[in-house]
Every structure is written in C-alpha cells, then in structure tokens.
Amino acid sequence: MGVKKKRHDENVQNGHAKTYDDTNGSVHEAFVDPFAVTWMEKYSASIEKAWSKIPKFVGTFLVTTAICTMGLGISGDWLLIFVHVIKQYRGNVIYNLNVTDADGLLESLKLKGFGYFWLGASGVGYAIYYGIGGFLHWYFYVRRRDRAEEWKCQPTKFMSPELEKHEIIFGSLTLFLNSTATAMIACYISNGGYSTIYYDLFEYPIWWFFLQFAVIFIYQDYVTYWLHRIYHRPFLYKHFHKMHHKYKQPTAFSVTAIHPVESTHIQLTLILPIFLIPIHWAPFYTVALYTYYHGIIDHSGVNFKAHWWQPWQPDAIFHDNHHQYFHVNFGFNIYLWDILHGTYRRKDRVYTEDIYYGRGKELTNATAEELKADIEERKSENPKAYRENKLVYDLSDKDLQEQNVTSIVKRKKKKYY
C-alpha cells in the first residue's frame, strides 16, 4: 500500500490541500487544519473583492488600526485602560456590580468579580488574536504572497504550515496566561488594591506627567533588552527561549509564542512602575500601546521602516535579523542598547544558534560550513528591508579577500527585482 504525502503552500487552494497517492498518482483533497492559517485562502477571493473597493489611504489606516488593536487585545491592556478611564471619572467600579462570593476569599484579596474580568480579557483577547491576526496574515501572507520580494524581510523563505500551527497553538497558551494575569491586575486595581497610579493630572508637578513618557519608555526598553539577552544565555535559551526561535521567519502570530515562564517574567517586570513610583495611567499605557504595536511590527516579517520622527526606533529588519541569526540584536525599540553593549550585528561576523553572547564569530575563525551557511542566509535577505534598498551586510569579493576567506567559499550574488 502506497504512502500518501501532503505537499503544502503551492498546493493549498480554497482551504484544502492536495494529497498525492504515490502508488497511482491520484489526487485527493483533505481539509487543512484551521490552525495552519491556510484556511484563510478559502475566503481570500471574497475578502479581496471587498478590499479592492476601499481607498488606499483608508486601507493603510485600517491595517495600522488593526495592528494597534491586536497589540491591546493580546496583552489585555484594553481592559486595564477601561478600568483606569472608569476610575478616572467614577472611582472604584467593581462595587457597583451585583457580585457575591461564597467564602469572601476573592473579596478579601480585592479580586471581587474576577470571573467577569477574566472572561472579558480572554474572550476579547482570543477574538482579536484570531480575527485581526488572521486578517493581517491574509493581507500580507495570502494576498501578496506571490510578490514577497516587495514586502517580506526574507522573501524566499516562509514558515511551514506545521510551524504556523505550532506558533498559533503555543501563542494561544501564552495568551491565556497573559489574559489571566491582566484580568487579575485589572480586578485588583478596580477593587481599590494598592498601586502608585494617580488620576488627578495636577496631583504631581505637570513636568513629571510629561517626563513619564520618556522614563517609562526607557525603563521598559532597557530592562527588556537585558531580560532578552539573559534568556539568550545557554541554559535559559535551551530550556525557555529556544521555543520562540523555532520561527526563523516570524509572523505577527509569533509575538505571543513565548515560553510561559519567560512571558510571565517579562510581564511582571514591565508593570513594576505602577507599584513603585507615582505614575499617571495615561503615559504608562500610551507607552504600552507603542511597545505592543512595534512588537507586532517587528515580528511580522514585513519590511516596515521607522518614521523620520523615530530616530531611536530600528526598522523591522533589525528584529527579523535576530530571528534569522539568533544571538544578536537583542534590543526592541531602541537599537542604541546593542551598540553600547557590542551586540549589534556586524558585517564581519558570523552568527549561528550555537554561537552565544551576541558577539558572533570573526569570519577568519569560522569553519567552511559556518561561512557557507552564513553567506546563504545573507543572500536570502531582502535589500528593500534596509535603508536605501541596499543589503548592508552583503559580503563583496573585496570583503572576502580582506578577510582571507576567498579560498573557503565562492559566493554567487542573488538579485531581487
């Protein structure tokens, strides 16, 4: 009896995969697992028909809004913002709900009505994750898949359906934990639990209100740089962070596909300021929205570039390089940290999953296999993802000669049109 082999990507049409029987060459159709994302191709024509009627500037606005909404949804911060807005004008809100607790335990912990918060955080979170996440995937990875050289950081490489499924299932688990933690914090604060958040704009000097934007942003970004770098040390990487690096060509779904221990660690670290120093809720969650927006952008695999008013912000290719080369470019929203600490990607270095600590290996010290693999990786990058549409890490013949490695490998240049 012959073995049936399922071939993906080009053989997936209308949400079904063609399955070939090697014994007689017959073709059958099998429904593709919805978690593999390819099910969206079934509705692509209908969505495209509706989308084509939308003006371009409106479409751009909708995509940007979708990314922001996804950031707030998967983090659960929409619920915290809602709680703070209500407290801003009405004070503690949970007492107005008709909620009873059999043993009074939740009330004693200032978690009265926790079930409502959890249902809201998780329900909205999953709806946004699958709904808007699915839309963004369709917008780029289905609608424009045949033009990947126009928008993708690694245009010749895509994750397999199996990895797509893996990142969504794993991301869904982390989303469950994030929603639970966010619901707990929102419920606790709404019940009058301790925090250093204030609501009266003039309770502290007005200059402090405006300074908070920079203080919170720098604190969160620098701390996450070090947390990220620490999780790239051999033990922590192999046992926790390695899971996130299964996705060498990340997508928007990858942003939550993080080990639960690491995700919880990061989340708790980021919210420390609201329990330690006077913080107005508006600056704190404005920074959070900015951070989540770029977190999705940076994992999208799309060659988004920072705007002129964001001189601190690296382009999306910066973090895409991190996934492609593993132990380098640890920063998120301020690339200066990597420059200061010597972990910014260098042209004269080779980076692999087995070369730790962010410094890479000099070309002259790399083995023939490492060098050949590295050059192939460089070829797969999209010049359009970089400034001036140039591959800044491309190794010319002159570069190889200067490094005395021309005898090891002969490279073939690849151009994208």
Side-chain angles (χ1 to χ4, degrees), residues 194-348:
Y194 172 80
S195 77
T196 54
I197 291 178
Y198 67 94
Y199 299 91
D200 182 354
L201 189 63
F202 300 101
E203 184 174 345
Y204 293 89
I206 193 67
W207 60 263
W208 171 236
F209 173 83
F210 291 103
L211 185 60
Q212 287 175 51
F213 290 93
V215 171
I216 296 167
F217 181 63
I218 292 172
Y219 160 76
Q220 290 190 343
D221 205 67
Y222 193 54
V223 167
T224 50
Y225 165 83
W226 276 108
L227 282 177
H228 191 195
R229 187 172 172 181
I230 288 170
Y231 273 97
H232 270 268
R233 296 187 69 84
F235 177 82
L236 292 178
Y237 179 78
K238 293 174 182 177
H239 291 85
F240 299 100
H241 194 60
K242 183 181 175 70
M243 187 67 68
H244 185 61
H245 275 271
K246 289 174 70 71
Y247 322 117
K248 286 191 66 176
Q249 299 83 37
T251 73
F253 287 114
S254 305
V255 71
T256 57
I258 305 173
H259 194 284
V261 171
E262 181 183 1
S263 177
T264 303
H265 187 185
I266 294 172
Q267 192 173 22
L268 292 176
T269 302
L270 293 182
I271 65 170
L272 279 179
I274 69 174
F275 298 104
L276 297 177
I277 60 176
I279 292 290
H280 192 280
W281 68 270
F284 186 85
Y285 289 103
T286 298
V287 172
L289 175 59
Y290 178 93
T291 301
Y292 293 133
Y293 172 84
H294 279 284
I296 295 171
I297 287 292
D298 292 344
H299 285 89
S300 67
V302 181
N303 60 355
F304 289 108
K305 295 179 181 177
H307 299 289
W308 63 268
W309 52 270
Q310 298 173 288
W312 59 84
Q313 184 72 44
D315 298 330
I317 188 66
F318 177 84
H319 194 72
D320 201 85
N321 277 177
H322 173 74
H323 276 260
Q324 188 175 4
Y325 297 97
F326 300 98
H327 308 292
V328 68
N329 292 3
F330 299 119
F332 291 96
N333 297 301
I334 301 178
Y335 63 84
L336 180 62
W337 310 138
D338 284 284
I339 294 176
L340 287 176
H341 296 296
T343 55
Y344 193 88
R345 186 184 173 194
R346 293 178 52 172
K347 185 176 180 178
D348 61 348

Side-chain angles (χ1 to χ4, degrees), residues 14-215:
N14 298 323
H16 291 71
K18 292 180 180 179
T19 305
Y20 296 81
D21 193 325
D22 288 345
T23 57
N24 55 21
S26 60
V27 180
H28 308 281
E29 285 193 344
F31 184 71
V32 176
D33 189 329
F35 278 111
V37 184
T38 47
W39 62 268
M40 282 180 291
E41 296 183 14
K42 180 178 181 180
Y43 308 100
S44 181
S46 299
I47 300 174
E48 180 64 43
K49 184 178 180 180
W51 190 261
S52 63
K53 298 178 181 179
I54 300 175
K56 185 176 181 181
F57 76 94
V58 175
T60 301
F61 172 77
L62 290 176
V63 171
T64 302
T65 302
I67 295 172
C68 291
T69 304
M70 186 175 179
L72 289 175
I74 62 178
S75 66
D77 277 0
W78 70 270
L79 180 59
L80 283 162
I81 292 174
F82 176 77
V83 166
H84 290 305
V85 169
I86 297 298
K87 283 177 69 68
Q88 174 85 54
Y89 298 103
R90 297 180 59 186
N92 297 337
V93 296
I94 193 62
Y95 299 125
N96 298 324
L97 295 176
N98 184 22
V99 180
T100 59
D101 297 305
D103 55 7
L105 176 61
L106 291 179
E107 187 170 359
S108 68
L109 295 173
K110 296 189 180 298
L111 292 176
K112 186 177 181 180
F114 172 72
Y116 289 94
F117 286 86
W118 182 83
L119 287 174
S122 58
V124 172
Y126 281 112
I128 289 176
Y129 182 67
Y130 292 115
I132 294 182
F135 165 74
L136 292 174
H137 187 89
W138 168 82
Y139 186 80
F140 289 105
Y141 286 83
V142 175
R143 179 172 177 261
R144 304 174 64 185
R145 190 182 185 93
D146 60 339
R147 293 165 283 159
E149 70 281 354
E150 296 178 2
W151 58 270
K152 199 171 187 299
C153 292
Q154 301 177 58
T156 61
K157 295 182 178 181
F158 290 81
M159 277 201 292
S160 67
E162 289 77 15
L163 270 181
E164 287 178 346
K165 177 180 178 179
H166 182 278
E167 71 170 348
I168 293 175
I169 293 177
F170 199 57
S172 297
L173 171 61
T174 303
L175 180 59
F176 172 82
L177 296 176
N178 288 348
S179 297
T180 302
T182 301
M184 188 174 296
I185 296 169
C187 184
Y188 175 79
I189 291 176
S190 71
N191 276 283
Y194 172 80
S195 77
T196 54
I197 291 178
Y198 67 94
Y199 299 91
D200 182 354
L201 189 63
F202 300 101
E203 184 174 345
Y204 293 89
I206 193 67
W207 60 263
W208 171 236
F209 173 83
F210 291 103
L211 185 60
Q212 287 175 51
F213 290 93
V215 171

